[in-house]
Amino acid sequence: MIDVLEALLLGVVEGLTEFIPVSSTGHLLLLGHAIGFDSAGHAFEVMVQLGAVLAVASLYAARLWGVVQAAPHDPSARRFLASVLVAFLPAVFIGVMAHDIIKSVLFETPRLIALMLILGGAVLIFVDRLALVPRYEDATRLPLGVALKIGVIQCIAMIPGVSRSGATIVGALALGVSKRAAAEFSFFLSMPTMLGAFAYDLMKNRDVLDAAQVETIVIGFIAAFISGLCVVRWLLGYVSRHGYAIFGWWRIVVGIIALVALSI
């Protein structure tokens, strides 16, 4: 019963934090460390993220299906699909090459996670306050070069605590993408990125996953899906009006609390 409640709690936290730039993985690892949650190979922390990603996919399903149908005869649809693919490729290369180091070293260093939360929060606040003039207002019409740069920047988030959405959003803002479009492109890029991470982690951990592990993952997955739906519906409107500073301050507060707790 305790494992079920822990999985439910962690799944809700995953869904609430996956798409806001606060590092869902960092939150899961720190919370798991605090409550004594343990998953073989940290498979839960990676695989449960697909639940939140499917929440985005369900909300954008009609729009994405329209793009796929239009791709054979619409150059703009093909360019959008190509931009997501180009942005995704750096994560494939770095993720496969560094997978073992990330899971066995970085995931096991809570102080590093807390420090990355604080540093990333400061960067997010700084970038949000810059008087940047957006050149790209539509997430589906980014030049391939811009998309590739965003994809490279996303790889920094393989350090837990950095935040995948935070890295892509900050990178996009710095490259001239509007706040709303930066969040939307981060949504689109999350789909292949997290699906790839899920599949690769499943392959790597297939020998250590037992029935109990699978049960906790399914519970967390469902909780992440439901809470992710709520966040995605709210986030675009919020950042269009207020920006990202509040998430930077949240990161700093959580990081400081984590450092204090780890020092006790």
Side-chain angles (χ1 to χ4, degrees), residues 3 6-7 10-11 25 28-49 99 102-104 107-108 201-202 204-218 220:
D3 287 344
E6 290 174 345
L10 290 166
T25 303
L28 288 185
L29 291 171
L30 289 175
L31 179 57
H33 180 81
I35 65 177
F37 181 83
D38 183 46
S39 66
H42 286 295
F44 178 93
E45 289 84 351
V46 174
M47 296 173 69
V48 74
Q49 295 179 52
H99 179 271
I102 293 168
K103 296 295 288 293
S104 63
F107 271 42
E108 301 292 346
D201 220 72
L202 179 60
K204 296 284 285 186
N205 289 288
R206 64 186 182 278
D207 295 329
V208 298
L209 291 176
D210 56 23
Q213 285 268 8
V214 172
E215 180 186 11
T216 58
I217 290 172
V218 170

Side-chain angles (χ1 to χ4, degrees), residues 149-162:
K149 291 174 183 175
I150 294 173
V152 171
I153 294 169
Q154 176 183 233
C155 293
I156 301 172
M158 292 183 188
I159 304 172
V162 170

Side-chain angles (χ1 to χ4, degrees), residues 37-86:
F37 181 83
D38 183 46
S39 66
H42 286 295
F44 178 93
E45 289 84 351
V46 174
M47 296 173 69
V48 74
Q49 295 179 52
L50 186 62
V53 172
L54 288 181
V56 169
S58 68
L59 290 175
Y60 282 93
R63 183 175 177 183
L64 292 172
W65 180 239
V67 171
V68 171
Q69 288 183 309
H73 53 80
D74 185 351
S76 64
R78 290 196 297 272
R79 185 177 63 180
F80 166 58
L81 293 175
S83 70
V84 175
L85 176 61
V86 165

Side-chain angles (χ1 to χ4, degrees), residues 19 21 88 92 129 153-154 162 168 211 216 245:
F19 301 108
F88 167 59
V92 175
R129 290 181 175 178
I153 294 169
Q154 176 183 233
V162 170
T168 55
T216 58

